[in-house]
Amino acid sequence: MEYRSIFYNETNENTYLVYDENTKNGVIIDPGCSMEQIEKLINENDVTVRYILLTHCHYDHIMSMLPLKEKTGAKLVTGDKGSRNIGDPCVNLTRSGLGYTIENVKADVILKDGEILKLDSLDIKCIYTPGHTDCGVCYYCGNDLFCGDTLFLRSCGRWDLPTGDQHTLEKSIREKLYTLPDDTAVHSGHGADTAIGYEKKYNFFVKA
């Protein structure tokens, strides 16, 4: 597995490209940066994007979702509630965040909790982690966790937006993420990388 990331200044969001280094087939996780940045990253690494994976529905993670899907023909992947929320402006916050709405969009592939999406040598496990939103999921591949806004370096996602809940978020982190190996690399939706073992000790909000 190889991965690359893009940092989008306007929202401090991280978009990830994950791919098989031999076949060059890959996925984009949370296309919240500009389409120009994504196209440049894809072309630089000569990757064919087969899937677009969303960790949750918020506008700063789906901004380039539709043009990327149209450009590549990639299938859109979410958890169960994600397929509903990405097309609901009251939850995805696109009106206030983007100045226009993204509506009536559904996922092509809905993964169950614990289900594995296979792409060549990649086994990408979907882990349901509601709390930041009720549709939050993480993607676990090899020793790498792509966790959206569930867990950050010494912090975690906010819970005061539509469908968010503090106690649900804490439970997701403790029971779903802190049970992973301590050396699991954590790639968040915003900010720097961290590791599960480090967060269990030093996270300001949720300790093991």
PDB file of all heavy atoms in Angstrom, residues 170-201:
ATOM      1  N   GLU A 170     -17.117   9.453  22.273  1.00  0.00           N
ATOM      2  CA  GLU A 170     -16.171   8.884  23.232  1.00  0.00           C
ATOM      3  C   GLU A 170     -16.204   7.356  23.190  1.00  0.00           C
ATOM      4  O   GLU A 170     -15.150   6.701  23.244  1.00  0.00           O
ATOM      5  CB  GLU A 170     -16.496   9.384  24.629  1.00  0.00           C
ATOM      6  CG  GLU A 170     -16.237  10.873  24.822  1.00  0.00           C
ATOM      7  CD  GLU A 170     -16.710  11.383  26.166  1.00  0.00           C
ATOM      8  OE1 GLU A 170     -17.379  10.606  26.891  1.00  0.00           O
ATOM      9  OE2 GLU A 170     -16.417  12.539  26.502  1.00  0.00           O
ATOM     10  N   LYS A 171     -17.394   6.800  23.084  1.00  0.00           N
ATOM     11  CA  LYS A 171     -17.527   5.336  23.016  1.00  0.00           C
ATOM     12  C   LYS A 171     -16.884   4.792  21.751  1.00  0.00           C
ATOM     13  O   LYS A 171     -16.196   3.762  21.789  1.00  0.00           O
ATOM     14  CB  LYS A 171     -19.005   4.956  23.074  1.00  0.00           C
ATOM     15  CG  LYS A 171     -19.252   3.458  23.059  1.00  0.00           C
ATOM     16  CD  LYS A 171     -20.735   3.137  23.171  1.00  0.00           C
ATOM     17  CE  LYS A 171     -20.962   1.624  23.145  1.00  0.00           C
ATOM     18  NZ  LYS A 171     -22.406   1.288  23.243  1.00  0.00           N
ATOM     19  N   SER A 172     -17.081   5.480  20.625  1.00  0.00           N
ATOM     20  CA  SER A 172     -16.475   5.034  19.369  1.00  0.00           C
ATOM     21  C   SER A 172     -14.964   5.016  19.463  1.00  0.00           C
ATOM     22  O   SER A 172     -14.301   4.069  19.016  1.00  0.00           O
ATOM     23  CB  SER A 172     -16.913   5.953  18.220  1.00  0.00           C
ATOM     24  OG  SER A 172     -18.278   5.807  17.928  1.00  0.00           O
ATOM     25  N   ILE A 173     -14.402   6.061  20.048  1.00  0.00           N
ATOM     26  CA  ILE A 173     -12.943   6.148  20.148  1.00  0.00           C
ATOM     27  C   ILE A 173     -12.401   5.069  21.070  1.00  0.00           C
ATOM     28  O   ILE A 173     -11.435   4.368  20.736  1.00  0.00           O
ATOM     29  CB  ILE A 173     -12.530   7.547  20.628  1.00  0.00           C
ATOM     30  CG1 ILE A 173     -12.863   8.591  19.548  1.00  0.00           C
ATOM     31  CG2 ILE A 173     -11.049   7.585  20.967  1.00  0.00           C
ATOM     32  CD1 ILE A 173     -12.686  10.024  19.999  1.00  0.00           C
ATOM     33  N   ARG A 174     -13.014   4.908  22.222  1.00  0.00           N
ATOM     34  CA  ARG A 174     -12.501   3.935  23.194  1.00  0.00           C
ATOM     35  C   ARG A 174     -12.695   2.491  22.722  1.00  0.00           C
ATOM     36  O   ARG A 174     -11.788   1.653  22.858  1.00  0.00           O
ATOM     37  CB  ARG A 174     -13.193   4.124  24.547  1.00  0.00           C
ATOM     38  CG  ARG A 174     -12.738   5.344  25.314  1.00  0.00           C
ATOM     39  CD  ARG A 174     -13.118   5.260  26.771  1.00  0.00           C
ATOM     40  NE  ARG A 174     -12.599   6.407  27.507  1.00  0.00           N
ATOM     41  CZ  ARG A 174     -13.296   7.503  27.773  1.00  0.00           C
ATOM     42  NH1 ARG A 174     -14.564   7.597  27.376  1.00  0.00           N
ATOM     43  NH2 ARG A 174     -12.743   8.513  28.426  1.00  0.00           N
ATOM     44  N   GLU A 175     -13.881   2.181  22.197  1.00  0.00           N
ATOM     45  CA  GLU A 175     -14.214   0.794  21.901  1.00  0.00           C
ATOM     46  C   GLU A 175     -13.826   0.362  20.491  1.00  0.00           C
ATOM     47  O   GLU A 175     -13.621  -0.844  20.253  1.00  0.00           O
ATOM     48  CB  GLU A 175     -15.713   0.572  22.112  1.00  0.00           C
ATOM     49  CG  GLU A 175     -16.151   0.779  23.559  1.00  0.00           C
ATOM     50  CD  GLU A 175     -17.615   0.470  23.781  1.00  0.00           C
ATOM     51  OE1 GLU A 175     -18.292  -0.001  22.837  1.00  0.00           O
ATOM     52  OE2 GLU A 175     -18.090   0.705  24.915  1.00  0.00           O
ATOM     53  N   LYS A 176     -13.712   1.303  19.559  1.00  0.00           N
ATOM     54  CA  LYS A 176     -13.414   0.936  18.173  1.00  0.00           C
ATOM     55  C   LYS A 176     -11.977   1.281  17.772  1.00  0.00           C
ATOM     56  O   LYS A 176     -11.353   0.523  17.025  1.00  0.00           O
ATOM     57  CB  LYS A 176     -14.393   1.638  17.227  1.00  0.00           C
ATOM     58  CG  LYS A 176     -15.842   1.200  17.364  1.00  0.00           C
ATOM     59  CD  LYS A 176     -16.015  -0.249  16.937  1.00  0.00           C
ATOM     60  CE  LYS A 176     -17.470  -0.642  16.822  1.00  0.00           C
ATOM     61  NZ  LYS A 176     -18.140  -0.022  15.664  1.00  0.00           N
ATOM     62  N   LEU A 177     -11.456   2.403  18.246  1.00  0.00           N
ATOM     63  CA  LEU A 177     -10.129   2.839  17.808  1.00  0.00           C
ATOM     64  C   LEU A 177      -9.039   2.481  18.805  1.00  0.00           C
ATOM     65  O   LEU A 177      -7.969   2.011  18.420  1.00  0.00           O
ATOM     66  CB  LEU A 177     -10.130   4.347  17.538  1.00  0.00           C
ATOM     67  CG  LEU A 177     -11.112   4.818  16.450  1.00  0.00           C
ATOM     68  CD1 LEU A 177     -10.869   6.284  16.117  1.00  0.00           C
ATOM     69  CD2 LEU A 177     -11.025   3.956  15.196  1.00  0.00           C
ATOM     70  N   TYR A 178      -9.289   2.686  20.093  1.00  0.00           N
ATOM     71  CA  TYR A 178      -8.259   2.392  21.089  1.00  0.00           C
ATOM     72  C   TYR A 178      -8.028   0.896  21.279  1.00  0.00           C
ATOM     73  O   TYR A 178      -7.112   0.494  21.997  1.00  0.00           O
ATOM     74  CB  TYR A 178      -8.611   3.041  22.417  1.00  0.00           C
ATOM     75  CG  TYR A 178      -8.382   4.541  22.472  1.00  0.00           C
ATOM     76  CD1 TYR A 178      -8.720   5.276  23.604  1.00  0.00           C
ATOM     77  CD2 TYR A 178      -7.814   5.233  21.392  1.00  0.00           C
ATOM     78  CE1 TYR A 178      -8.510   6.646  23.671  1.00  0.00           C
ATOM     79  CE2 TYR A 178      -7.602   6.593  21.449  1.00  0.00           C
ATOM     80  CZ  TYR A 178      -7.952   7.301  22.589  1.00  0.00           C
ATOM     81  OH  TYR A 178      -7.748   8.662  22.657  1.00  0.00           O
ATOM     82  N   THR A 179      -8.815   0.055  20.628  1.00  0.00           N
ATOM     83  CA  THR A 179      -8.584  -1.389  20.652  1.00  0.00           C
ATOM     84  C   THR A 179      -7.661  -1.824  19.513  1.00  0.00           C
ATOM     85  O   THR A 179      -7.247  -2.987  19.480  1.00  0.00           O
ATOM     86  CB  THR A 179      -9.911  -2.149  20.542  1.00  0.00           C
ATOM     87  OG1 THR A 179     -10.602  -1.729  19.354  1.00  0.00           O
ATOM     88  CG2 THR A 179     -10.790  -1.882  21.752  1.00  0.00           C
ATOM     89  N   LEU A 180      -7.311  -0.914  18.607  1.00  0.00           N
ATOM     90  CA  LEU A 180      -6.362  -1.221  17.542  1.00  0.00           C
ATOM     91  C   LEU A 180      -4.942  -1.243  18.114  1.00  0.00           C
ATOM     92  O   LEU A 180      -4.695  -0.697  19.195  1.00  0.00           O
ATOM     93  CB  LEU A 180      -6.470  -0.176  16.434  1.00  0.00           C
ATOM     94  CG  LEU A 180      -7.816  -0.087  15.701  1.00  0.00           C
ATOM     95  CD1 LEU A 180      -7.813   1.102  14.736  1.00  0.00           C
ATOM     96  CD2 LEU A 180      -8.123  -1.384  14.960  1.00  0.00           C
ATOM     97  N   PRO A 181      -3.986  -1.857  17.412  1.00  0.00           N
ATOM     98  CA  PRO A 181      -2.600  -1.879  17.913  1.00  0.00           C
ATOM     99  C   PRO A 181      -2.068  -0.476  18.167  1.00  0.00           C
ATOM    100  O   PRO A 181      -2.377   0.475  17.441  1.00  0.00           O
ATOM    101  CB  PRO A 181      -1.836  -2.564  16.775  1.00  0.00           C
ATOM    102  CG  PRO A 181      -2.859  -3.419  16.087  1.00  0.00           C
ATOM    103  CD  PRO A 181      -4.140  -2.648  16.173  1.00  0.00           C
ATOM    104  N   ASP A 182      -1.255  -0.338  19.202  1.00  0.00           N
ATOM    105  CA  ASP A 182      -0.729   0.969  19.596  1.00  0.00           C
ATOM    106  C   ASP A 182       0.068   1.641  18.484  1.00  0.00           C
ATOM    107  O   ASP A 182       0.126   2.871  18.409  1.00  0.00           O
ATOM    108  CB  ASP A 182       0.152   0.843  20.847  1.00  0.00           C
ATOM    109  CG  ASP A 182      -0.657   0.679  22.115  1.00  0.00           C
ATOM    110  OD1 ASP A 182      -1.901   0.803  22.062  1.00  0.00           O
ATOM    111  OD2 ASP A 182      -0.051   0.438  23.171  1.00  0.00           O
ATOM    112  N   ASP A 183       0.712   0.844  17.627  1.00  0.00           N
ATOM    113  CA  ASP A 183       1.542   1.437  16.584  1.00  0.00           C
ATOM    114  C   ASP A 183       0.760   1.778  15.316  1.00  0.00           C
ATOM    115  O   ASP A 183       1.355   2.162  14.303  1.00  0.00           O
ATOM    116  CB  ASP A 183       2.726   0.517  16.243  1.00  0.00           C
ATOM    117  CG  ASP A 183       2.298  -0.817  15.646  1.00  0.00           C
ATOM    118  OD1 ASP A 183       1.094  -1.139  15.698  1.00  0.00           O
ATOM    119  OD2 ASP A 183       3.175  -1.546  15.134  1.00  0.00           O
ATOM    120  N   THR A 184      -0.556   1.660  15.367  1.00  0.00           N
ATOM    121  CA  THR A 184      -1.378   2.043  14.217  1.00  0.00           C
ATOM    122  C   THR A 184      -1.191   3.523  13.926  1.00  0.00           C
ATOM    123  O   THR A 184      -1.377   4.373  14.803  1.00  0.00           O
ATOM    124  CB  THR A 184      -2.861   1.758  14.491  1.00  0.00           C
ATOM    125  OG1 THR A 184      -3.045   0.365  14.738  1.00  0.00           O
ATOM    126  CG2 THR A 184      -3.728   2.181  13.309  1.00  0.00           C
ATOM    127  N   ALA A 185      -0.832   3.841  12.687  1.00  0.00           N
ATOM    128  CA  ALA A 185      -0.685   5.235  12.262  1.00  0.00           C
ATOM    129  C   ALA A 185      -2.055   5.836  11.999  1.00  0.00           C
ATOM    130  O   ALA A 185      -2.878   5.242  11.313  1.00  0.00           O
ATOM    131  CB  ALA A 185       0.174   5.312  10.998  1.00  0.00           C
ATOM    132  N   VAL A 186      -2.292   7.007  12.559  1.00  0.00           N
ATOM    133  CA  VAL A 186      -3.598   7.666  12.460  1.00  0.00           C
ATOM    134  C   VAL A 186      -3.483   8.883  11.543  1.00  0.00           C
ATOM    135  O   VAL A 186      -2.715   9.807  11.808  1.00  0.00           O
ATOM    136  CB  VAL A 186      -4.093   8.105  13.853  1.00  0.00           C
ATOM    137  CG1 VAL A 186      -5.403   8.879  13.746  1.00  0.00           C
ATOM    138  CG2 VAL A 186      -4.269   6.886  14.762  1.00  0.00           C
ATOM    139  N   HIS A 187      -4.255   8.868  10.463  1.00  0.00           N
ATOM    140  CA  HIS A 187      -4.286   9.957   9.498  1.00  0.00           C
ATOM    141  C   HIS A 187      -5.654  10.633   9.594  1.00  0.00           C
ATOM    142  O   HIS A 187      -6.668  10.061   9.195  1.00  0.00           O
ATOM    143  CB  HIS A 187      -4.037   9.432   8.090  1.00  0.00           C
ATOM    144  CG  HIS A 187      -2.854   8.513   7.990  1.00  0.00           C
ATOM    145  ND1 HIS A 187      -1.561   8.953   8.166  1.00  0.00           N
ATOM    146  CD2 HIS A 187      -2.772   7.166   7.761  1.00  0.00           C
ATOM    147  CE1 HIS A 187      -0.726   7.934   8.026  1.00  0.00           C
ATOM    148  NE2 HIS A 187      -1.437   6.836   7.791  1.00  0.00           N
ATOM    149  N   SER A 188      -5.665  11.828  10.144  1.00  0.00           N
ATOM    150  CA  SER A 188      -6.922  12.510  10.459  1.00  0.00           C
ATOM    151  C   SER A 188      -7.395  13.400   9.320  1.00  0.00           C
ATOM    152  O   SER A 188      -6.647  13.710   8.394  1.00  0.00           O
ATOM    153  CB  SER A 188      -6.742  13.350  11.725  1.00  0.00           C
ATOM    154  OG  SER A 188      -6.356  12.547  12.818  1.00  0.00           O
ATOM    155  N   GLY A 189      -8.635  13.838   9.450  1.00  0.00           N
ATOM    156  CA  GLY A 189      -9.209  14.733   8.462  1.00  0.00           C
ATOM    157  C   GLY A 189      -8.668  16.144   8.535  1.00  0.00           C
ATOM    158  O   GLY A 189      -8.761  16.904   7.563  1.00  0.00           O
ATOM    159  N   HIS A 190      -8.098  16.498   9.679  1.00  0.00           N
ATOM    160  CA  HIS A 190      -7.487  17.814   9.869  1.00  0.00           C
ATOM    161  C   HIS A 190      -6.259  17.629  10.760  1.00  0.00           C
ATOM    162  O   HIS A 190      -6.283  16.854  11.708  1.00  0.00           O
ATOM    163  CB  HIS A 190      -8.457  18.793  10.537  1.00  0.00           C
ATOM    164  CG  HIS A 190      -9.754  18.958   9.822  1.00  0.00           C
ATOM    165  ND1 HIS A 190      -9.942  19.852   8.794  1.00  0.00           N
ATOM    166  CD2 HIS A 190     -10.945  18.335   9.987  1.00  0.00           C
ATOM    167  CE1 HIS A 190     -11.180  19.779   8.357  1.00  0.00           C
ATOM    168  NE2 HIS A 190     -11.821  18.860   9.076  1.00  0.00           N
ATOM    169  N   GLY A 191      -5.207  18.352  10.469  1.00  0.00           N
ATOM    170  CA  GLY A 191      -4.046  18.339  11.346  1.00  0.00           C
ATOM    171  C   GLY A 191      -3.052  17.241  11.048  1.00  0.00           C
ATOM    172  O   GLY A 191      -3.131  16.542  10.035  1.00  0.00           O
ATOM    173  N   ALA A 192      -2.107  17.078  11.976  1.00  0.00           N
ATOM    174  CA  ALA A 192      -0.974  16.181  11.788  1.00  0.00           C
ATOM    175  C   ALA A 192      -1.330  14.733  12.106  1.00  0.00           C
ATOM    176  O   ALA A 192      -2.318  14.442  12.786  1.00  0.00           O
ATOM    177  CB  ALA A 192       0.181  16.629  12.682  1.00  0.00           C
ATOM    178  N   ASP A 193      -0.490  13.821  11.599  1.00  0.00           N
ATOM    179  CA  ASP A 193      -0.633  12.406  11.914  1.00  0.00           C
ATOM    180  C   ASP A 193      -0.333  12.158  13.391  1.00  0.00           C
ATOM    181  O   ASP A 193       0.362  12.932  14.050  1.00  0.00           O
ATOM    182  CB  ASP A 193       0.327  11.571  11.075  1.00  0.00           C
ATOM    183  CG  ASP A 193      -0.073  11.495   9.606  1.00  0.00           C
ATOM    184  OD1 ASP A 193      -1.183  11.926   9.265  1.00  0.00           O
ATOM    185  OD2 ASP A 193       0.747  10.991   8.813  1.00  0.00           O
ATOM    186  N   THR A 194      -0.841  11.037  13.869  1.00  0.00           N
ATOM    187  CA  THR A 194      -0.552  10.613  15.229  1.00  0.00           C
ATOM    188  C   THR A 194      -0.560   9.090  15.259  1.00  0.00           C
ATOM    189  O   THR A 194      -0.434   8.445  14.217  1.00  0.00           O
ATOM    190  CB  THR A 194      -1.547  11.242  16.229  1.00  0.00           C
ATOM    191  OG1 THR A 194      -1.181  10.869  17.561  1.00  0.00           O
ATOM    192  CG2 THR A 194      -2.981  10.856  15.948  1.00  0.00           C
ATOM    193  N   ALA A 195      -0.660   8.493  16.437  1.00  0.00           N
ATOM    194  CA  ALA A 195      -0.693   7.034  16.575  1.00  0.00           C
ATOM    195  C   ALA A 195      -1.655   6.666  17.699  1.00  0.00           C
ATOM    196  O   ALA A 195      -1.870   7.445  18.635  1.00  0.00           O
ATOM    197  CB  ALA A 195       0.702   6.479  16.860  1.00  0.00           C
ATOM    198  N   ILE A 196      -2.217   5.475  17.602  1.00  0.00           N
ATOM    199  CA  ILE A 196      -3.207   5.046  18.592  1.00  0.00           C
ATOM    200  C   ILE A 196      -2.613   5.028  19.997  1.00  0.00           C
ATOM    201  O   ILE A 196      -3.219   5.537  20.957  1.00  0.00           O
ATOM    202  CB  ILE A 196      -3.770   3.663  18.225  1.00  0.00           C
ATOM    203  CG1 ILE A 196      -4.680   3.761  16.988  1.00  0.00           C
ATOM    204  CG2 ILE A 196      -4.544   3.062  19.398  1.00  0.00           C
ATOM    205  CD1 ILE A 196      -5.937   4.598  17.176  1.00  0.00           C
ATOM    206  N   GLY A 197      -1.439   4.463  20.150  1.00  0.00           N
ATOM    207  CA  GLY A 197      -0.825   4.393  21.483  1.00  0.00           C
ATOM    208  C   GLY A 197      -0.598   5.755  22.094  1.00  0.00           C
ATOM    209  O   GLY A 197      -0.804   5.956  23.301  1.00  0.00           O
ATOM    210  N   TYR A 198      -0.169   6.705  21.274  1.00  0.00           N
ATOM    211  CA  TYR A 198       0.055   8.065  21.753  1.00  0.00           C
ATOM    212  C   TYR A 198      -1.256   8.695  22.226  1.00  0.00           C
ATOM    213  O   TYR A 198      -1.306   9.321  23.297  1.00  0.00           O
ATOM    214  CB  TYR A 198       0.669   8.904  20.638  1.00  0.00           C
ATOM    215  CG  TYR A 198       0.983  10.323  21.042  1.00  0.00           C
ATOM    216  CD1 TYR A 198       2.208  10.643  21.611  1.00  0.00           C
ATOM    217  CD2 TYR A 198       0.049  11.352  20.873  1.00  0.00           C
ATOM    218  CE1 TYR A 198       2.511  11.945  21.998  1.00  0.00           C
ATOM    219  CE2 TYR A 198       0.332  12.648  21.256  1.00  0.00           C
ATOM    220  CZ  TYR A 198       1.563  12.941  21.816  1.00  0.00           C
ATOM    221  OH  TYR A 198       1.835  14.234  22.200  1.00  0.00           O
ATOM    222  N   GLU A 199      -2.319   8.524  21.450  1.00  0.00           N
ATOM    223  CA  GLU A 199      -3.592   9.142  21.815  1.00  0.00           C
ATOM    224  C   GLU A 199      -4.183   8.528  23.073  1.00  0.00           C
ATOM    225  O   GLU A 199      -4.826   9.220  23.880  1.00  0.00           O
ATOM    226  CB  GLU A 199      -4.580   9.054  20.650  1.00  0.00           C
ATOM    227  CG  GLU A 199      -4.176   9.863  19.433  1.00  0.00           C
ATOM    228  CD  GLU A 199      -3.857  11.304  19.768  1.00  0.00           C
ATOM    229  OE1 GLU A 199      -4.616  11.939  20.520  1.00  0.00           O
ATOM    230  OE2 GLU A 199      -2.812  11.798  19.283  1.00  0.00           O
ATOM    231  N   LYS A 200      -3.984   7.254  23.279  1.00  0.00           N
ATOM    232  CA  LYS A 200      -4.486   6.612  24.494  1.00  0.00           C
ATOM    233  C   LYS A 200      -3.883   7.242  25.741  1.00  0.00           C
ATOM    234  O   LYS A 200      -4.522   7.312  26.790  1.00  0.00           O
ATOM    235  CB  LYS A 200      -4.183   5.114  24.445  1.00  0.00           C
ATOM    236  CG  LYS A 200      -5.054   4.351  23.461  1.00  0.00           C
ATOM    237  CD  LYS A 200      -4.511   2.972  23.138  1.00  0.00           C
ATOM    238  CE  LYS A 200      -4.534   2.035  24.304  1.00  0.00           C
ATOM    239  NZ  LYS A 200      -4.112   0.663  23.894  1.00  0.00           N
ATOM    240  N   LYS A 201      -2.661   7.750  25.621  1.00  0.00           N
ATOM    241  CA  LYS A 201      -1.989   8.376  26.758  1.00  0.00           C
ATOM    242  C   LYS A 201      -2.207   9.871  26.847  1.00  0.00           C
ATOM    243  O   LYS A 201      -2.361  10.426  27.945  1.00  0.00           O
ATOM    244  CB  LYS A 201      -0.481   8.102  26.676  1.00  0.00           C
ATOM    245  CG  LYS A 201      -0.086   6.658  26.892  1.00  0.00           C
ATOM    246  CD  LYS A 201       1.430   6.524  26.826  1.00  0.00           C
ATOM    247  CE  LYS A 201       1.872   5.087  27.057  1.00  0.00           C
ATOM    248  NZ  LYS A 201       3.354   4.941  26.969  1.00  0.00           N
TER     249      LYS A 201
END
